[in-house]
């Protein structure tokens, strides 16, 4: 393959472009999540049926994510991301159109598939930009995703408050986000494979290099999913908190994660990925213990805040480590993404199952045990540290 050097200005522009892509991706999720009650009522499904339908995005993502690497190989990273991101933003319209459970499950599978493929493509490009800049940016990129989710949630909350039809709301949101994504993709790196580089397989199991990395991500995403879906319930049922304060706990948890991710790159550059994750594991475990032992709502809320702070940078570093773990970054990233998506799928139901058999306090004892895994297995994320080599081609990108 031939090589071309990117000027510092081009790399900086590419960084901002991929950050915008992350923000757009998160905004779609936030826009959808806030209108789930409207979608449930429109489709006429029960709470149990809705729970079944909401499993299909993760199923669709897990099946489709391995295709992202092949699409990037065939069309180039920029073109593939542009197309996949547009499919994802446009897929926002589909769930609100579903008239019944069957169609809702089908469109949510498509929704998840486009989400997963665009997720892999943008994370692969993020790792490439980080490598060429030789500074940590992955945590900040995921922070931009969280910021986008908050923006999308705010728009959805306003739309719900004024009683707007979700079909109109999502049509307008999809139009705006598609346009923003297409503009941002103009300046991402246009990476292309060499003529003799073999395309990745259409479907494959996660490579061995991704399994341990994915396991660390699994622990963090499990704690995240448990906290997002159950923190308000925990405060209400275990500590007899008002509905307003319980909801505020979930919002605070989300904000803590977003701020920690945006600020996390400086910590990673200072201490390295492994020490950062070990420290994060300590903070997350302390937070989970506070939740389990909390005698009153303020202590529990502080625990959830520390939990969000502790797990915030783990998944970005897992993607960064996967992107440097083998000859096919997209395949490794897809493997880690599949494992983390699976964790996010099973966490809420696992917490509920354990709580039904025992109590919510015991359920968050399980979360505490998993956060300990962050400390024990942080070493597998060593690949997230960039090699600060002095080669003159440190800022070289691949192109035809």
């Amino acid at each position: 393959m031939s090589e071309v050097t990117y000027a510092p200005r081009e790399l900086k522009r590419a960084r901002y472009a991929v950050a915008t892509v992350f923000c757009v991706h998160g905004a779609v999720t936030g826009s959808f999540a806030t209108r789930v009650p409207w979608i449930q009522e429109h489709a006429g499904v029960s709470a149990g049926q809705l729970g079944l339908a909401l499993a299909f995005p993760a199923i669709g993502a897990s099946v489709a994510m391995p295709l992202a690497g092949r699409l990037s190989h065939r069309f180039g990273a920029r073109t593939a991301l542009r197309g996949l991101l547009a499919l994802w933003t446009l897929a926002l319209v589909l769930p609100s159109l579903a008239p019944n459970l069957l169609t809702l499950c089908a469109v949510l599978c498509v929704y998840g598939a486009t989400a997963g493929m665009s997720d892999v493509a943008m994370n692969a490009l993020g790792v490439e930009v980080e490598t060429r800049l030789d500074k940590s940016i992955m945590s900040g990129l995921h922070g931009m995703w969280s910021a986008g989710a908050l923006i999308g949630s705010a728009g959805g909350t306003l739309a719900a408050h004024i009683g707007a039809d979700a079909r109109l709301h999502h049509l307008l949101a999809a139009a705006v986000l598609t346009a923003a994504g297409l503009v941002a993709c103009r300046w991402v790196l246009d990476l292309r494979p060499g003529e003799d580089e073999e395309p990745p397989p259409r479907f494959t199991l996660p490579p061995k290099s991704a399994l341990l990395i994915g396991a660390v991500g699994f622990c963090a995403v499990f704690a995240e999913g448990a906290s997002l879906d159950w923190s308000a319930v925990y405060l209400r049922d275990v500590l007899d908190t008002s509905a307003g304060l319980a909801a505020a706990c979930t919002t605070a948890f989300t904000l803590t994660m977003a701020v920690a991710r945006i600020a996390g790159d400086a910590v990673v550059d200072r201490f390295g990925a492994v020490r950062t994750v070990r420290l994060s594991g300590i903070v997350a475990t302390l937070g989970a213990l506070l939740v389990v032992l909390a005698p009153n709502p303020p202590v529990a809320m502080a625990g959830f805040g520390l939990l969000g702070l502790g797990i915030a940078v783990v998944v970005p570093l897992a993607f960064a480590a996967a992107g440097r773990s083998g000859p096919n970054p997209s395949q490794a990233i897809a493997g880690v993404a599949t494992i983390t998506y699976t964790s996010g799928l099973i966490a809420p139901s696992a917490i509920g199952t354990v709580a039904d058999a025992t109590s919510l306090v015991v359920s968050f004892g399980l979360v505490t045990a998993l956060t300990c895994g962050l400390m024990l297995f942080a070493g597998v994320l060593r690949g997230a540290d960039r090699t600060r080599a002095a080669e003159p081609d440190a800022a070289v990108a691949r192109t035809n």
Side-chain angles (χ1 to χ4, degrees), residues 34-67:
T34 51
R35 305 312 305 272
V36 168
W38 191 99
I39 292 169
Q40 178 187 6
E41 183 178 354
H42 178 70
V45 298
S46 66
Q49 290 172 328
L50 178 63
L52 171 65
L54 291 177
F56 276 81
I59 294 171
S62 298
V63 171
M65 280 188 291
L67 291 173

Side-chain angles (χ1 to χ4, degrees), residues 30-349:
S31 299
F32 166 75
T34 51
R35 305 312 305 272
V36 168
W38 191 99
I39 292 169
Q40 178 187 6
E41 183 178 354
H42 178 70
V45 298
S46 66
Q49 290 172 328
L50 178 63
L52 171 65
L54 291 177
F56 276 81
I59 294 171
S62 298
V63 171
M65 280 188 291
L67 291 173
R70 192 172 184 91
L71 291 172
S72 294
H73 182 277
R74 179 173 181 179
F75 298 107
R78 179 187 293 168
T79 300
L81 178 61
R82 182 186 291 125
L84 292 173
L85 186 64
L87 288 175
W88 163 235
T89 53
L90 292 173
L92 173 62
V93 177
L94 298 178
S96 61
L97 301 177
N100 53 51
L101 177 62
L102 182 61
T103 53
L104 183 61
C105 291
V107 298
L108 285 177
C109 191
V110 174
Y111 173 87
T114 56
M117 289 190 292
S118 55
D119 196 338
V120 170
M122 71 187 191
N123 273 285
L125 271 169
V127 172
E128 293 285 354
V129 174
E130 180 178 85
T131 300
R132 284 157 176 75
L133 287 172
D134 195 27
K135 61 186 296 186
S136 179
I137 67 168
M138 287 301 292
S139 180
L141 292 180
H142 282 255
M144 289 298 295
W145 188 97
S146 297
L150 287 171
I151 293 171
S153 297
T157 300
L158 176 61
H161 178 71
I162 64 176
D165 188 306
R167 291 168 294 189
L168 177 60
H169 163 216
H170 284 167
L171 179 63
L172 294 174
V176 172
L177 294 173
T178 300
L182 290 174
V183 171
C185 285
R186 292 180 59 189
W187 290 287
V188 300
L189 297 182
D190 191 19
L191 306 178
R192 296 179 180 274
E195 294 180 359
D196 57 346
E197 186 175 332
E198 290 293 326
R202 289 184 176 87
F203 295 100
T204 183
L205 293 174
K208 292 180 180 179
S209 61
L211 293 179
L212 285 176
I213 296 171
V216 175
F218 181 98
C219 294
V221 172
F222 191 100
E224 179 182 353
S227 299
L228 283 173
D229 288 357
W230 287 96
S231 57
V233 178
Y234 190 95
L235 263 70
R236 184 194 65 191
D237 292 355
V238 177
L239 298 171
D240 196 25
T241 306
S242 68
L245 188 60
C249 179
T250 303
T251 302
F253 174 83
T254 305
L255 284 171
T256 300
M257 283 199 65
V259 172
R261 281 178 168 173
I262 291 172
D265 290 318
V267 179
V268 175
D269 278 332
R270 175 67 177 83
F271 296 105
V274 174
R275 282 194 289 175
T276 297
V277 173
R278 284 187 179 140
L279 177 61
S280 296
I282 293 171
V283 173
T285 302
L286 175 60
L289 283 172
L290 282 178
V291 170
V292 170
L293 301 175
N296 52 55
V299 174
M301 293 179 73
F304 279 114
L306 288 175
L307 192 52
L309 180 65
I311 63 176
V313 301
V314 177
V315 172
L317 290 177
F319 279 119
R324 301 187 183 97
S325 64
N328 194 322
S330 292
Q331 184 180 348
I333 289 173
V336 169
T338 300
I339 295 170
T340 56
Y341 267 69
T342 302
S343 179
L345 172 64
I346 69 173
S349 59

